[in-house]
Amino acid sequence: MVMQDKSHKSQLRSGVLISYLILVNNFIYAQEAISTERPSFSNSSSVLLPGRLNVESGFQFQRVDDATDELVLNTTQLRYGVNEHFELRFTWNLLQRDTQVEGANLSGTGWAPPVLGIKTQLLEGDGWIPETALIAEVALRGGSDIFSNDRLVPALRYSMGWSVGARGALTHTYNIFWALEDDRALNLLTLIYAHGITDDLTAFVELYSFLVKGESDYRTDMGLIYLIKPRFQVDLSGGLGLSDISPDWFLDVGLSFAIFK
């Protein structure tokens, strides 16, 4: 009787192990490759596959000026495809700011307010007609320390994308949002070109600008995106400020993966 119980337990463990390996194999070698919005400032013009969940995370160091450094210790965006024309979005960031003022080190670490959003597909691309999507987001009340917010902060993002040849893609976005500190409306314009060097490696270059009441903050960045497995991606990028009010430079590294469908 004892030997029979041990045999049943061994068969059960073997069955669980085989099921686990099948799930892992399906996760890693799924045919539909991940599609992310990292690491650029531009939002993609497409929505996720229905039933797919993307986890897009990264780390960024930014040299604002000689006195101030900013770290994004973790930025994570969750995106879930509801149907062919609609996705849900949730973003949160863990930030750190170090500022030197007259020899004193003023620093703070904490969570930025979480952001909820939706994305809807407006047009499918056809030749010169761009694939088009609209994103509506709102930063909630909350956050910690110097990054907290006591009111809702809305944002609208409009994205258009075109295919360029067999491996290229051009995307333009227009964004309007409001500064956390006051009621100033900020406009963010982006233009990005991405090109597939191989099936697994993509390079991109991007120009973008923040327009605030006549002041322009111009920046550029470029980077590489590598698809380790169809559902597992890493990225590395960096950029420079092109105007007096821009950050000096920044570096960004990220990891993204997809689960479910």
Side-chain angles (χ1 to χ4, degrees):
M1 185 67 177
V2 174
M3 293 181 63
Q4 188 174 11
D5 289 342
K6 290 183 177 179
S7 177
H8 286 164
K9 290 180 180 179
S10 177
Q11 292 175 1
L12 179 61
R13 285 195 295 267
S14 298
V16 171
L17 178 60
I18 291 172
S19 299
Y20 173 76
L21 292 176
I22 292 174
L23 288 173
V24 170
N25 181 76
N26 290 338
F27 173 81
I28 294 177
Y29 295 99
Q31 296 303 310
E32 290 287 351
I34 187 173
S35 174
T36 71
E37 294 184 338
R38 282 196 51 83
S40 67
F41 276 78
S42 302
N43 297 105
S44 67
S45 57
S46 61
V47 298
L48 290 183
L49 292 170
R52 170 161 291 191
L53 176 65
N54 268 19
V55 181
E56 305 176 15
S57 62
F59 168 88
Q60 184 184 92
F61 174 83
Q62 179 171 270
R63 170 61 54 86
V64 178
D65 52 40
D66 292 339
T68 303
D69 292 332
E70 291 184 348
L71 292 175
V72 180
L73 299 173
N74 179 260
T75 176
T76 299
Q77 182 178 62
L78 303 180
R79 301 170 57 205
Y80 179 73
V82 178
N83 56 43
E84 294 180 354
H85 303 284
F86 189 76
E87 75 175 45
L88 300 176
R89 304 156 68 87
F90 177 70
T91 306
W92 74 90
N93 297 319
L94 178 61
L95 309 175
Q96 177 177 312
R97 180 177 296 159
D98 293 316
T99 303
Q100 300 289 334
V101 179
E102 296 180 353
N105 185 2
L106 305 178
S107 63
T109 302
W111 295 99
V115 178
L116 294 177
I118 59 173
K119 184 178 186 180
T120 182
Q121 190 88 58
L122 300 180
L123 292 173
E124 296 183 1
D126 184 11
W128 288 102
I129 299 175
E131 182 181 61
T132 307
L134 178 67
I135 301 170
E137 295 179 328
V138 59
L140 304 179
R141 295 183 179 91
S144 54
D145 300 330
I146 60 176
F147 308 108
S148 64
N149 181 36
D150 60 1
R151 62 187 178 90
L152 301 178
V153 181
L156 291 174
R157 308 178 188 275
Y158 185 79
S159 180
M160 298 179 292
W162 296 265
S163 295
V164 181
R167 289 184 175 270
L170 183 69
T171 302
H172 169 63
T173 68
Y174 171 73
N175 311 263
I176 181 169
F177 53 100
W178 284 262
L180 295 178
E181 298 84 2
D182 51 41
D183 292 325
R184 292 182 305 161
L186 292 88
N187 297 280
L188 169 62
L189 301 176
T190 76
L191 182 65
I192 181 173
Y193 176 73
H195 190 85
I197 299 173
T198 69
D199 291 340
D200 301 324
L201 183 64
T202 298
F204 73 89
V205 59
E206 181 180 34
L207 294 170
Y208 54 100
S209 65
F210 296 90
L211 304 176
V212 187
K213 289 186 176 181
E215 288 190 289
S216 299
D217 178 355
Y218 295 104
R219 309 181 193 183
T220 184
D221 65 345
M222 62 183 62
L224 296 171
I225 301 169
Y226 183 64
L227 198 64
I228 297 177
K229 298 293 182 183
R231 293 194 179 195
F232 188 73
Q233 167 189 297
V234 293
D235 59 72
L236 176 65
S237 62
L240 300 171
L242 303 178
S243 54
D244 292 338
I245 64 172
S246 306
D248 292 342
W249 56 272
F250 57 90
L251 292 173
D252 198 309
V253 61
L255 178 152
S256 303
F257 59 92
I259 56 178
F260 301 142
K261 186 174 179 179

